[in-house]
Amino acid sequence: MNNNFCGGNSQNCEKSRYIMISSRCANNFHSVAYFVSAFFRKAVSAAFFPDTCILCGTASYGIPLCRTCVNSLSKEASDAPVSAHCVICGKPILSEIEICMQCRTEKVPARNLDGICSVFPYLLNKKQLLYEWKIAGRKSLTPFFAECMEKLYAYNFKGLPIVPVPPRPGKIHKKGWDQTDSLASVFKRKYGVEVLKYLERTSMVQQKKLGRTERLSRNSQYKASKILVRAAQYKENRVTKNDYIYGRKNVSFCEENHLPSHVVLLDDVMTTGSTLSSCAAVLKSYGIEKVSALTLFTVPA
């Protein structure tokens, strides 16, 4: 490659290529390391810490779900991409009309998004699952839930970066973890999906303590993170990936500075869609053209 094509800075070209290759190698290493560590965790759990299935009460190993319940939930997750659901809010429907009654008669927040997909309806034993994972802190369920979500992600959004809905300030420091953040971590480490921390939450109020009317009437609790602001500025200045690679601009390479045109919001449960709508509004205001959403559970209309 001649120096004129590189903008006269061959050293910057080589540095950019080296960083890109190193980043890919690091992702592959993290994926392998994740599988190895997960195998040993399951082996140790099965040998020394047998558990009980939270749904049927039989013996389980590795996670608090027996093999029968795991297979049943996995099949339901596999069927989720082709199951009947509303094209606007993603909630399950029984009629042949592709839009649910609520989306036909109300101005629902989900209309601000470019599609929502959910794995499980929040019904029956799914309520127990969410409670054990989110409230009781059964973190060992996270990899299995991520596996269920990845099937839907691969079917509808394969290759797109995900943006996790951020927790309220201080939650991770207080409780030691956040369920959506842990799902995003598995997506990144196990499946190699790009995770962009584009959002920050400004409110300390818990959404689960608010009714439907209060959720819909509240102002946005989310704002752009410094990473999103920086990426939007680079896009405004028309700096592209090729400018990094070929040294056409006097900037250092950084994958986070590339603003994608389409992202997927990641969250654990959708109730009214107001949270996802608020997050989508922030992302679109900074130049992202399409915002879809992927959730583990959805509360039926």
Side-chain angles (χ1 to χ4, degrees):
M1 187 181 296
N2 59 59
N3 287 339
N4 290 332
F5 188 63
C6 288
N9 192 344
S10 59
Q11 185 177 2
N12 194 29
C13 292
E14 293 300 324
K15 183 179 179 181
S16 297
R17 289 193 204 95
Y18 173 77
I19 295 175
M20 291 177 67
I21 294 172
S22 299
S23 178
R24 293 194 187 103
C25 291
N27 287 337
N28 292 335
F29 172 79
H30 286 313
S31 295
V32 173
Y34 179 88
F35 278 108
V36 172
S37 62
F39 172 79
F40 280 105
R41 284 198 303 270
K42 287 183 179 180
V44 171
S45 175
F48 302 104
F49 306 102
D51 208 338
T52 302
C53 179
I54 58 179
L55 297 182
C56 67
T58 58
S60 62
Y61 304 94
I63 62 174
L65 288 171
C66 68
R67 178 51 53 188
T68 301
C69 291
V70 165
N71 291 339
S72 176
L73 291 168
S74 294
K75 184 181 184 305
E76 188 174 347
S78 298
D79 294 340
V82 295
S83 62
H85 60 274
C86 175
V87 295
I88 295 176
C89 68
K91 296 186 177 184
I93 54 177
L94 298 176
S95 67
E96 295 182 357
I97 302 175
E98 294 184 336
I99 302 177
C100 69
M101 181 61 69
Q102 191 173 66
C103 290
R104 276 182 276 163
T105 58
E106 299 179 25
K107 189 176 181 180
V108 294
R111 290 186 180 276
N112 297 327
L113 289 105
D114 301 285
I116 302 175
C117 295
S118 299
V119 182
F120 302 117
Y122 186 61
L123 295 169
L124 304 174
N125 58 2
K126 308 305 187 305
K127 294 183 177 182
Q128 181 67 19
L129 279 176
L130 183 61
Y131 174 84
E132 293 290 340
W133 178 53
K134 188 172 182 177
I135 308 301
R138 297 270 198 147
K139 302 177 186 178
S140 58
L141 287 168
T142 300
F144 173 68
F145 285 155
E147 179 182 332
C148 293
M149 297 182 77
E150 197 276 335
K151 296 175 182 178
L152 199 54
Y153 168 85
Y155 187 88
N156 291 292
F157 309 119
K158 189 174 180 63
L160 294 178
I162 63 174
V163 178
V165 173
R168 63 184 182 278
K171 178 182 177 181
I172 294 179
H173 177 74
K174 181 180 180 180
K175 293 193 172 183
W177 79 303
D178 172 68
Q179 59 279 357
T180 302
D181 185 73
S182 63
L183 285 172
S185 178
V186 176
F187 264 86
K188 180 177 181 178
R189 296 173 58 196
K190 184 176 182 179
Y191 303 110
V193 177
E194 183 180 9
V195 176
L196 302 172
K197 299 292 184 73
Y198 274 174
L199 298 168
E200 294 178 1
R201 186 168 172 177
T202 58
S203 174
M204 294 287 291
V205 179
Q206 293 179 276
Q207 286 285 92
K208 64 182 180 182
K209 294 183 178 180
L210 302 177
R212 176 179 175 81
T213 304
E214 291 175 301
R215 287 171 182 255
L216 295 175
S217 62
R218 286 179 63 83
N219 295 325
S220 177
Q221 304 176 58
Y222 302 91
K223 68 175 184 178
S225 68
K226 292 181 180 179
I227 298 174
L228 176 56
V229 173
R230 184 167 61 243
Q233 290 174 342
Y234 272 69
K235 181 179 180 180
E236 186 177 349
N237 293 332
R238 296 181 180 178
V239 179
T240 67
K241 278 190 172 181
N242 285 338
D243 291 325
Y244 296 123
I245 296 171
Y246 302 124
R248 297 188 187 125
K249 300 286 184 178
N250 186 25
V251 292
S252 59
F253 177 85
C254 180
E255 189 70 25
E256 289 179 338
N257 288 336
H258 171 63
L259 188 70
S261 60
H262 189 181
V263 299
V264 181
L265 283 166
L266 186 74
D267 205 2
D268 58 344
V269 59
M270 184 187 78
T271 305
T272 63
S274 59
T275 293
L276 297 173
S277 177
S278 297
C279 291
V282 174
L283 295 172
K284 289 185 175 182
S285 70
Y286 278 83
I288 296 177
E289 298 171 10
K290 296 181 67 177
V291 180
S292 301
L294 174 64
T295 69
L296 180 60
F297 298 100
T298 183
V299 178

